Each structure stands twice: as structure tokens, then as C-alpha cells.
Amino acid sequence: MRGGWFRGYTIVYLIFLYAPIILLPVFAFNNATTVAFPLEGATTKWFAQLWTEPALHKALKNSLIIAVSSAVLATTLGIFAARASTRYRFPLKGPLMGLIMLPLVLPEVIVAVALLAVLLGLGMSLSIFTVILGHVLICTPFAIAILSSAFQSLDQSLEEASYDLGETPASTFRLVILPLVMPGIISALLITFTISLDEFIIAFFLAGNENTLPVYILGQFRFPQNVPVIMALGTILVCLSIALLATAEYFRRRGIAKTGGKDTGGFL
């Protein structure tokens, strides 16, 4: 009996969670300008209209620059932090790693306001660069979480064998360790890229006059006639996010299998 209630709860929860995502492409292909039932026929004109919006193209360009830069920087910092935390012992290791991972649990609006105050206090003007700084702060803990798993599954004897064969620590890291954790690095890049591309709160506070894609989408909801176009754009973004996350999960599992580790649960 209790199993039946739990099964029912699970079904209701999944419907509540994914119904809006399922309805997104339904209205994106709907011919009507209003988001409502009954539907008025299928069309692709809203997708075609995306190509005629210069403001959208600029916002997309800004978001791609921010997402690529944030992903590369956050993953690079994540490599060093994950390597240090899994390989070495040093004073205050626990507290330091806790501080680095703190953005995972802090409300983003608090982080955004704090960053805004600090950056303005330093005399920096708000721009794409300030958004990149904020996104690196947010994305780095995710990269560390993924890469720590990859580094922990490494066989330390391979590193020791490299030293015995005359390699230096730098060449061992480059020739032995990095290739083994490369699936984790790719996974971290894809995850942080997706997080940065979809992030709104940090961009809203720190972008200044430079629109990003999420900020642009929010602004377009003030105009009812543009809502179907945003539905079409949202459909594309959902499909892109699912593809990137699935690819990241594939590389994560591939990395664990490559090192002979045990998969204790996917990032997704």
C-alpha cells in the first residue's frame, strides 16, 4: 500500500516538474500569438523569426563569450584545486575547500549583490568581464566536484611508475595524469558552459548595459507578441542543455571506466 502511494507521488512530482518543459515546444510550434489552448495549427515561423532579431544575436554572442570564458577558467581552476585536495595534505585543507565550495549553497542573489558592491567599490565598470568573474566564482565549485571524482579514481602507482622512469612531476602531470582525467575535464567544461549560459541572476546584476541571453529573454516577456518567439528560443535552449548535460555525463562515466573506478551515481 505504501509503495503505491509512493509511486503515485513520484508520478505527480515528475509531471509537475517536466510538464512546463513538455509544453514549451508545443506552444513554440503553435500558430497562435497567445500561449493558450486550444492550439491553432502547426508552424515554424517563430523559429524563423529568431534570425531577424539583432538584439537577440548580440545577447547570444555575449552569452557565448561569457560561457566559453567562464567554462575554461573555472575548469582550469578546478583542475588545480581538485588535484591539490585529492593528492596532498596541507594546513586548513578542510576549511579552505569548504570556502571554495561555498557558492554551491549560498543564494545567488546574495553572491550577486556582494560582487556588485565589491566591484563598484574597486571602481570597475560593469561589463562582460565582470559577468565572467561572477560566473567563474559560481562555476568553479561544480568543476571541482566533477574533477575531484576523476582525480580520486586515479591509480597512484601509475604516477610513481612515471617518476621511476625519470619523468619530472610536471611531465608526469602532463603526460600521465591529464590524459587519464581528460574525460572528467571535458565533462567539467560542458557542465560549467551550460551553467554559465543559463545563469540569470549574476548576469542581471553585473552585466551593466551588455545584455546576456537570459536577461534578454526576461525583457521580451514584457511584449506579449514576442512570447511565441521566446518559446521557440526556449525550446532550442532546452534541447541544447539536455545534449550538453548528456554528453558531460557520458564523458564522466567514460573517465570512471577508464581508470577502473566505481560509479557511485551520476552528476545528472
Side-chain angles (χ1 to χ4, degrees), residues 30 35 38-40 48 51 61 65 84 99 101 104 107 130 136 145 155 163 168 171 181 185 206 212 242 247 263:
N30 184 29
V35 181
L39 303 178
E40 295 187 7
W51 298 99
K61 179 183 176 182
I65 292 173
L99 286 175
M101 302 299 286
L104 280 176
T130 54
V136 170
D155 187 353
Y163 294 150
T168 63
S171 61
V181 299
I185 294 174
L206 301 184
T212 63
I242 292 173
T247 305
D263 192 358

PDB file of all heavy atoms in Angstrom, residues 30 35 38-40 48 51 61 65 84 99 101 104 107 130 136 145 155 163 168 171 181 185 206 212 242 247 263:
ATOM      1  N   ASN A  30       3.062  26.336 -32.178  1.00  0.00           N
ATOM      2  CA  ASN A  30       1.663  26.738 -32.309  1.00  0.00           C
ATOM      3  C   ASN A  30       1.578  28.024 -33.134  1.00  0.00           C
ATOM      4  O   ASN A  30       2.368  28.952 -32.964  1.00  0.00           O
ATOM      5  CB  ASN A  30       1.052  26.957 -30.918  1.00  0.00           C
ATOM      6  CG  ASN A  30      -0.423  27.276 -31.003  1.00  0.00           C
ATOM      7  OD1 ASN A  30      -1.114  26.853 -31.930  1.00  0.00           O
ATOM      8  ND2 ASN A  30      -0.921  28.035 -30.045  1.00  0.00           N
ATOM      9  N   VAL A  35      -0.256  32.192 -25.696  1.00  0.00           N
ATOM     10  CA  VAL A  35       0.098  30.891 -25.122  1.00  0.00           C
ATOM     11  C   VAL A  35      -1.123  30.358 -24.387  1.00  0.00           C
ATOM     12  O   VAL A  35      -1.309  30.593 -23.188  1.00  0.00           O
ATOM     13  CB  VAL A  35       1.304  31.032 -24.178  1.00  0.00           C
ATOM     14  CG1 VAL A  35       1.675  29.680 -23.595  1.00  0.00           C
ATOM     15  CG2 VAL A  35       2.477  31.654 -24.897  1.00  0.00           C
ATOM     16  N   PRO A  38      -7.325  26.308 -27.020  1.00  0.00           N
ATOM     17  CA  PRO A  38      -6.856  25.276 -27.953  1.00  0.00           C
ATOM     18  C   PRO A  38      -5.797  25.804 -28.909  1.00  0.00           C
ATOM     19  O   PRO A  38      -5.701  27.010 -29.147  1.00  0.00           O
ATOM     20  CB  PRO A  38      -8.136  24.898 -28.705  1.00  0.00           C
ATOM     21  CG  PRO A  38      -8.936  26.151 -28.685  1.00  0.00           C
ATOM     22  CD  PRO A  38      -8.671  26.806 -27.366  1.00  0.00           C
ATOM     23  N   LEU A  39      -5.006  24.872 -29.446  1.00  0.00           N
ATOM     24  CA  LEU A  39      -3.958  25.228 -30.395  1.00  0.00           C
ATOM     25  C   LEU A  39      -4.575  25.594 -31.740  1.00  0.00           C
ATOM     26  O   LEU A  39      -5.669  25.132 -32.084  1.00  0.00           O
ATOM     27  CB  LEU A  39      -2.987  24.066 -30.557  1.00  0.00           C
ATOM     28  CG  LEU A  39      -2.318  23.567 -29.262  1.00  0.00           C
ATOM     29  CD1 LEU A  39      -1.417  22.383 -29.549  1.00  0.00           C
ATOM     30  CD2 LEU A  39      -1.541  24.678 -28.578  1.00  0.00           C
ATOM     31  N   GLU A  40      -3.862  26.387 -32.522  1.00  0.00           N
ATOM     32  CA  GLU A  40      -4.404  26.879 -33.790  1.00  0.00           C
ATOM     33  C   GLU A  40      -3.676  26.343 -35.016  1.00  0.00           C
ATOM     34  O   GLU A  40      -3.751  26.921 -36.085  1.00  0.00           O
ATOM     35  CB  GLU A  40      -4.373  28.415 -33.804  1.00  0.00           C
ATOM     36  CG  GLU A  40      -5.279  29.055 -32.774  1.00  0.00           C
ATOM     37  CD  GLU A  40      -5.346  30.567 -32.948  1.00  0.00           C
ATOM     38  OE1 GLU A  40      -4.785  31.079 -33.946  1.00  0.00           O
ATOM     39  OE2 GLU A  40      -5.942  31.228 -32.076  1.00  0.00           O
ATOM     40  N   ALA A  48      11.836  30.808 -37.419  1.00  0.00           N
ATOM     41  CA  ALA A  48      12.415  31.629 -38.485  1.00  0.00           C
ATOM     42  C   ALA A  48      12.606  33.069 -38.030  1.00  0.00           C
ATOM     43  O   ALA A  48      13.569  33.739 -38.433  1.00  0.00           O
ATOM     44  CB  ALA A  48      11.513  31.577 -39.720  1.00  0.00           C
ATOM     45  N   TRP A  51      15.949  34.564 -36.523  1.00  0.00           N
ATOM     46  CA  TRP A  51      17.058  35.032 -37.351  1.00  0.00           C
ATOM     47  C   TRP A  51      16.962  36.520 -37.678  1.00  0.00           C
ATOM     48  O   TRP A  51      17.911  37.094 -38.215  1.00  0.00           O
ATOM     49  CB  TRP A  51      17.110  34.228 -38.653  1.00  0.00           C
ATOM     50  CG  TRP A  51      17.340  32.770 -38.425  1.00  0.00           C
ATOM     51  CD1 TRP A  51      16.404  31.774 -38.414  1.00  0.00           C
ATOM     52  CD2 TRP A  51      18.583  32.129 -38.163  1.00  0.00           C
ATOM     53  NE1 TRP A  51      16.986  30.563 -38.154  1.00  0.00           N
ATOM     54  CE2 TRP A  51      18.330  30.749 -38.005  1.00  0.00           C
ATOM     55  CE3 TRP A  51      19.906  32.584 -38.059  1.00  0.00           C
ATOM     56  CZ2 TRP A  51      19.339  29.824 -37.748  1.00  0.00           C
ATOM     57  CZ3 TRP A  51      20.914  31.666 -37.798  1.00  0.00           C
ATOM     58  CH2 TRP A  51      20.622  30.309 -37.639  1.00  0.00           C
ATOM     59  N   LYS A  61      25.683  36.323 -28.627  1.00  0.00           N
ATOM     60  CA  LYS A  61      27.133  36.456 -28.752  1.00  0.00           C
ATOM     61  C   LYS A  61      27.772  36.729 -27.400  1.00  0.00           C
ATOM     62  O   LYS A  61      28.777  36.109 -27.036  1.00  0.00           O
ATOM     63  CB  LYS A  61      27.465  37.595 -29.732  1.00  0.00           C
ATOM     64  CG  LYS A  61      28.955  37.833 -29.905  1.00  0.00           C
ATOM     65  CD  LYS A  61      29.214  39.012 -30.835  1.00  0.00           C
ATOM     66  CE  LYS A  61      30.709  39.320 -30.930  1.00  0.00           C
ATOM     67  NZ  LYS A  61      30.964  40.503 -31.803  1.00  0.00           N
ATOM     68  N   ILE A  65      30.414  34.226 -25.381  1.00  0.00           N
ATOM     69  CA  ILE A  65      31.731  34.681 -24.928  1.00  0.00           C
ATOM     70  C   ILE A  65      31.885  34.435 -23.435  1.00  0.00           C
ATOM     71  O   ILE A  65      32.920  33.921 -22.964  1.00  0.00           O
ATOM     72  CB  ILE A  65      31.920  36.178 -25.250  1.00  0.00           C
ATOM     73  CG1 ILE A  65      32.006  36.392 -26.759  1.00  0.00           C
ATOM     74  CG2 ILE A  65      33.181  36.720 -24.567  1.00  0.00           C
ATOM     75  CD1 ILE A  65      32.017  37.856 -27.170  1.00  0.00           C
ATOM     76  N   ALA A  84      45.008  19.291  -5.906  1.00  0.00           N
ATOM     77  CA  ALA A  84      45.585  19.573  -4.596  1.00  0.00           C
ATOM     78  C   ALA A  84      44.804  18.896  -3.475  1.00  0.00           C
ATOM     79  O   ALA A  84      45.392  18.346  -2.537  1.00  0.00           O
ATOM     80  CB  ALA A  84      45.618  21.084  -4.365  1.00  0.00           C
ATOM     81  N   LEU A  99      35.422  26.813   1.876  1.00  0.00           N
ATOM     82  CA  LEU A  99      35.214  28.173   1.387  1.00  0.00           C
ATOM     83  C   LEU A  99      35.105  28.205  -0.135  1.00  0.00           C
ATOM     84  O   LEU A  99      34.307  28.956  -0.700  1.00  0.00           O
ATOM     85  CB  LEU A  99      36.369  29.075   1.854  1.00  0.00           C
ATOM     86  CG  LEU A  99      36.372  29.466   3.323  1.00  0.00           C
ATOM     87  CD1 LEU A  99      37.638  30.242   3.668  1.00  0.00           C
ATOM     88  CD2 LEU A  99      35.133  30.303   3.655  1.00  0.00           C
ATOM     89  N   MET A 101      33.990  25.816  -2.039  1.00  0.00           N
ATOM     90  CA  MET A 101      32.729  25.193  -2.447  1.00  0.00           C
ATOM     91  C   MET A 101      31.502  25.949  -1.933  1.00  0.00           C
ATOM     92  O   MET A 101      30.367  25.590  -2.263  1.00  0.00           O
ATOM     93  CB  MET A 101      32.675  23.753  -1.929  1.00  0.00           C
ATOM     94  CG  MET A 101      33.829  22.875  -2.394  1.00  0.00           C
ATOM     95  SD  MET A 101      33.927  22.694  -4.181  1.00  0.00           S
ATOM     96  CE  MET A 101      32.543  21.577  -4.454  1.00  0.00           C
ATOM     97  N   LEU A 104      28.181  26.977  -3.833  1.00  0.00           N
ATOM     98  CA  LEU A 104      27.177  25.963  -4.157  1.00  0.00           C
ATOM     99  C   LEU A 104      25.925  26.094  -3.301  1.00  0.00           C
ATOM    100  O   LEU A 104      24.819  25.763  -3.743  1.00  0.00           O
ATOM    101  CB  LEU A 104      27.762  24.556  -3.985  1.00  0.00           C
ATOM    102  CG  LEU A 104      28.646  24.003  -5.098  1.00  0.00           C
ATOM    103  CD1 LEU A 104      29.207  22.658  -4.694  1.00  0.00           C
ATOM    104  CD2 LEU A 104      27.868  23.884  -6.405  1.00  0.00           C
ATOM    105  N   PRO A 107      22.789  31.589  -1.557  1.00  0.00           N
ATOM    106  CA  PRO A 107      21.814  32.119  -2.522  1.00  0.00           C
ATOM    107  C   PRO A 107      22.517  32.997  -3.557  1.00  0.00           C
ATOM    108  O   PRO A 107      23.321  33.867  -3.203  1.00  0.00           O
ATOM    109  CB  PRO A 107      20.860  32.937  -1.644  1.00  0.00           C
ATOM    110  CG  PRO A 107      21.033  32.399  -0.266  1.00  0.00           C
ATOM    111  CD  PRO A 107      22.459  31.960  -0.164  1.00  0.00           C
ATOM    112  N   THR A 130      33.004  41.553 -15.960  1.00  0.00           N
ATOM    113  CA  THR A 130      32.533  41.376 -14.581  1.00  0.00           C
ATOM    114  C   THR A 130      31.580  40.185 -14.478  1.00  0.00           C
ATOM    115  O   THR A 130      31.557  39.495 -13.458  1.00  0.00           O
ATOM    116  CB  THR A 130      31.843  42.649 -14.081  1.00  0.00           C
ATOM    117  OG1 THR A 130      30.800  43.031 -14.986  1.00  0.00           O
ATOM    118  CG2 THR A 130      32.830  43.795 -13.969  1.00  0.00           C
ATOM    119  N   VAL A 136      32.671  32.578 -13.058  1.00  0.00           N
ATOM    120  CA  VAL A 136      33.780  31.712 -12.639  1.00  0.00           C
ATOM    121  C   VAL A 136      33.632  31.346 -11.168  1.00  0.00           C
ATOM    122  O   VAL A 136      33.851  30.192 -10.764  1.00  0.00           O
ATOM    123  CB  VAL A 136      35.132  32.413 -12.895  1.00  0.00           C
ATOM    124  CG1 VAL A 136      36.277  31.643 -12.238  1.00  0.00           C
ATOM    125  CG2 VAL A 136      35.390  32.534 -14.388  1.00  0.00           C
ATOM    126  N   ALA A 145      33.857  19.594  -8.074  1.00  0.00           N
ATOM    127  CA  ALA A 145      33.101  18.402  -7.684  1.00  0.00           C
ATOM    128  C   ALA A 145      33.266  17.284  -8.708  1.00  0.00           C
ATOM    129  O   ALA A 145      33.413  16.108  -8.357  1.00  0.00           O
ATOM    130  CB  ALA A 145      31.628  18.758  -7.518  1.00  0.00           C
ATOM    131  N   ASP A 155      44.951   5.697 -10.204  1.00  0.00           N
ATOM    132  CA  ASP A 155      45.850   4.744  -9.541  1.00  0.00           C
ATOM    133  C   ASP A 155      47.180   5.452  -9.296  1.00  0.00           C
ATOM    134  O   ASP A 155      47.902   5.791 -10.232  1.00  0.00           O
ATOM    135  CB  ASP A 155      46.049   3.525 -10.435  1.00  0.00           C
ATOM    136  CG  ASP A 155      46.839   2.428  -9.746  1.00  0.00           C
ATOM    137  OD1 ASP A 155      47.348   2.674  -8.626  1.00  0.00           O
ATOM    138  OD2 ASP A 155      46.955   1.336 -10.322  1.00  0.00           O
ATOM    139  N   TYR A 163      57.622   8.477 -12.219  1.00  0.00           N
ATOM    140  CA  TYR A 163      58.799   9.032 -11.553  1.00  0.00           C
ATOM    141  C   TYR A 163      59.980   8.071 -11.645  1.00  0.00           C
ATOM    142  O   TYR A 163      61.132   8.494 -11.870  1.00  0.00           O
ATOM    143  CB  TYR A 163      58.482   9.326 -10.084  1.00  0.00           C
ATOM    144  CG  TYR A 163      57.463  10.417  -9.870  1.00  0.00           C
ATOM    145  CD1 TYR A 163      56.620  10.407  -8.754  1.00  0.00           C
ATOM    146  CD2 TYR A 163      57.328  11.461 -10.774  1.00  0.00           C
ATOM    147  CE1 TYR A 163      55.686  11.403  -8.536  1.00  0.00           C
ATOM    148  CE2 TYR A 163      56.389  12.464 -10.577  1.00  0.00           C
ATOM    149  CZ  TYR A 163      55.567  12.432  -9.456  1.00  0.00           C
ATOM    150  OH  TYR A 163      54.641  13.417  -9.264  1.00  0.00           O
ATOM    151  N   THR A 168      59.668  14.071 -14.677  1.00  0.00           N
ATOM    152  CA  THR A 168      59.538  15.076 -13.626  1.00  0.00           C
ATOM    153  C   THR A 168      58.075  15.178 -13.202  1.00  0.00           C
ATOM    154  O   THR A 168      57.187  14.679 -13.906  1.00  0.00           O
ATOM    155  CB  THR A 168      60.002  16.451 -14.136  1.00  0.00           C
ATOM    156  OG1 THR A 168      59.139  16.870 -15.210  1.00  0.00           O
ATOM    157  CG2 THR A 168      61.436  16.384 -14.640  1.00  0.00           C
ATOM    158  N   SER A 171      56.114  16.834 -16.092  1.00  0.00           N
ATOM    159  CA  SER A 171      55.873  15.987 -17.265  1.00  0.00           C
ATOM    160  C   SER A 171      54.949  14.825 -16.918  1.00  0.00           C
ATOM    161  O   SER A 171      54.158  14.387 -17.767  1.00  0.00           O
ATOM    162  CB  SER A 171      57.209  15.458 -17.812  1.00  0.00           C
ATOM    163  OG  SER A 171      57.879  14.672 -16.834  1.00  0.00           O
ATOM    164  N   VAL A 181      42.514  11.862 -16.770  1.00  0.00           N
ATOM    165  CA  VAL A 181      41.355  12.614 -16.259  1.00  0.00           C
ATOM    166  C   VAL A 181      40.700  13.463 -17.341  1.00  0.00           C
ATOM    167  O   VAL A 181      39.787  14.235 -17.042  1.00  0.00           O
ATOM    168  CB  VAL A 181      41.765  13.518 -15.071  1.00  0.00           C
ATOM    169  CG1 VAL A 181      42.306  12.696 -13.926  1.00  0.00           C
ATOM    170  CG2 VAL A 181      42.762  14.581 -15.507  1.00  0.00           C
ATOM    171  N   ILE A 185      37.661  16.309 -17.384  1.00  0.00           N
ATOM    172  CA  ILE A 185      37.875  17.699 -17.780  1.00  0.00           C
ATOM    173  C   ILE A 185      36.835  18.121 -18.817  1.00  0.00           C
ATOM    174  O   ILE A 185      36.251  19.209 -18.735  1.00  0.00           O
ATOM    175  CB  ILE A 185      39.302  17.890 -18.325  1.00  0.00           C
ATOM    176  CG1 ILE A 185      40.324  17.675 -17.209  1.00  0.00           C
ATOM    177  CG2 ILE A 185      39.473  19.267 -18.953  1.00  0.00           C
ATOM    178  CD1 ILE A 185      41.765  17.700 -17.680  1.00  0.00           C
ATOM    179  N   LEU A 206      25.457  42.144 -12.891  1.00  0.00           N
ATOM    180  CA  LEU A 206      26.823  42.529 -13.237  1.00  0.00           C
ATOM    181  C   LEU A 206      27.035  42.862 -14.704  1.00  0.00           C
ATOM    182  O   LEU A 206      28.137  43.266 -15.083  1.00  0.00           O
ATOM    183  CB  LEU A 206      27.793  41.402 -12.845  1.00  0.00           C
ATOM    184  CG  LEU A 206      27.823  40.980 -11.379  1.00  0.00           C
ATOM    185  CD1 LEU A 206      28.887  39.929 -11.149  1.00  0.00           C
ATOM    186  CD2 LEU A 206      28.057  42.183 -10.471  1.00  0.00           C
ATOM    187  N   THR A 212      22.764  39.692 -21.757  1.00  0.00           N
ATOM    188  CA  THR A 212      23.034  38.276 -21.995  1.00  0.00           C
ATOM    189  C   THR A 212      21.715  37.604 -22.390  1.00  0.00           C
ATOM    190  O   THR A 212      20.644  38.211 -22.296  1.00  0.00           O
ATOM    191  CB  THR A 212      23.614  37.593 -20.747  1.00  0.00           C
ATOM    192  OG1 THR A 212      22.639  37.649 -19.690  1.00  0.00           O
ATOM    193  CG2 THR A 212      24.891  38.279 -20.298  1.00  0.00           C
ATOM    194  N   ILE A 242      20.085  19.760 -22.662  1.00  0.00           N
ATOM    195  CA  ILE A 242      19.978  18.307 -22.486  1.00  0.00           C
ATOM    196  C   ILE A 242      21.120  17.598 -23.204  1.00  0.00           C
ATOM    197  O   ILE A 242      21.738  16.666 -22.664  1.00  0.00           O
ATOM    198  CB  ILE A 242      18.617  17.804 -22.990  1.00  0.00           C
ATOM    199  CG1 ILE A 242      17.495  18.319 -22.080  1.00  0.00           C
ATOM    200  CG2 ILE A 242      18.587  16.278 -23.049  1.00  0.00           C
ATOM    201  CD1 ILE A 242      16.106  18.006 -22.580  1.00  0.00           C
ATOM    202  N   THR A 247      26.090  14.631 -22.819  1.00  0.00           N
ATOM    203  CA  THR A 247      27.469  14.433 -23.265  1.00  0.00           C
ATOM    204  C   THR A 247      28.433  14.479 -22.094  1.00  0.00           C
ATOM    205  O   THR A 247      29.375  13.683 -22.000  1.00  0.00           O
ATOM    206  CB  THR A 247      27.855  15.504 -24.300  1.00  0.00           C
ATOM    207  OG1 THR A 247      26.915  15.493 -25.371  1.00  0.00           O
ATOM    208  CG2 THR A 247      29.244  15.246 -24.855  1.00  0.00           C
ATOM    209  N   ASP A 263      31.420   3.621 -10.184  1.00  0.00           N
ATOM    210  CA  ASP A 263      30.454   4.698 -10.371  1.00  0.00           C
ATOM    211  C   ASP A 263      29.455   4.668  -9.222  1.00  0.00           C
ATOM    212  O   ASP A 263      28.699   3.717  -9.064  1.00  0.00           O
ATOM    213  CB  ASP A 263      29.720   4.529 -11.713  1.00  0.00           C
ATOM    214  CG  ASP A 263      28.920   5.761 -12.088  1.00  0.00           C
ATOM    215  OD1 ASP A 263      28.905   6.716 -11.287  1.00  0.00           O
ATOM    216  OD2 ASP A 263      28.319   5.771 -13.180  1.00  0.00           O
TER     217      ASP A 263
END
